[in-house]
Amino acid sequence: WLNNAMREFAYAFKFPELQGTASVSSVEGQNNYDLPADFRAFTDDGVVIDGPQDRTGGRLPKETRTMFLRQYNWNGNGRPQAYHTYGKKLVVRPASDATVTNFMFDYWKRVTPLAADGDVSMFNDDWDDVIFRGALYRGHMNFGEHDRMINVFNMFLGLVRSRVEAEDLEEFPEGGISYIQSQFDGNRR
């Protein structure tokens, strides 16, 4: 019940605790690579090629599995032009050539479940009461105590709604959003 309560609110907000960064290096003739064990989804930036020099700075466009199957050159290798996920794999098209290419990406992690007696949540302790109330309403629901479940569920929702995300507390960079976007685009090409 505790783990389900954490997942319920954690996937609704953009918690810094759920952000991750990873990279994989290409292997000649290979088109799929393992994603991190805690991978849930790519952030908006997707997959960026980082090196070597002639391949730096390009963001790979995302494609669907259907697009991949229609367009994939099963016999050719080259500079990867697109990506998608399939299962727990990052899949690029076409398969990589002999030039080692680094694929970098930011991603959203899965919530680390509480499994042992001494485990603590990965969230700030401000969320402990929210986790407890989320587990409590599930307990009441499991035992058929619907009136209590509704009361505790409403407390759970009230606690979730009363929290402020970290990004709302942090100062927004000077220059406005257009300036920030122009700086980002200039650095990522």
Side-chain angles (χ1 to χ4, degrees), residues 40 42 64 68 86 99-100 107 109 130 133 163 172:
R40 181 167 174 257
F42 287 108
T64 65
F68 167 79
Y86 190 72
T99 304
V100 176
Y107 68 99
K109 298 177 184 179
V130 178
R133 301 289 175 200
R163 298 302 187 259
F172 194 77

Side-chain angles (χ1 to χ4, degrees), residues 59-78:
R59 181 158 54 178
L60 290 178
K62 186 172 182 158
E63 65 184 3
T64 65
R65 180 76 177 170
T66 303
M67 291 166 63
F68 167 79
L69 293 172
R70 276 194 223 137
Q71 298 179 30
Y72 189 71
N73 177 355
W74 295 100
N75 299 318
N77 299 342

Side-chain angles (χ1 to χ4, degrees), residues 22 33 56 59 66 72 83 91 113 117 137 148 154 158 160 177:
Y33 304 90
T56 299
R59 181 158 54 178
T66 303
Y72 189 71
Y83 81 95
V91 183
D117 286 343
Y137 95 74
R148 288 183 177 174
N154 287 332
V160 170
I177 194 71

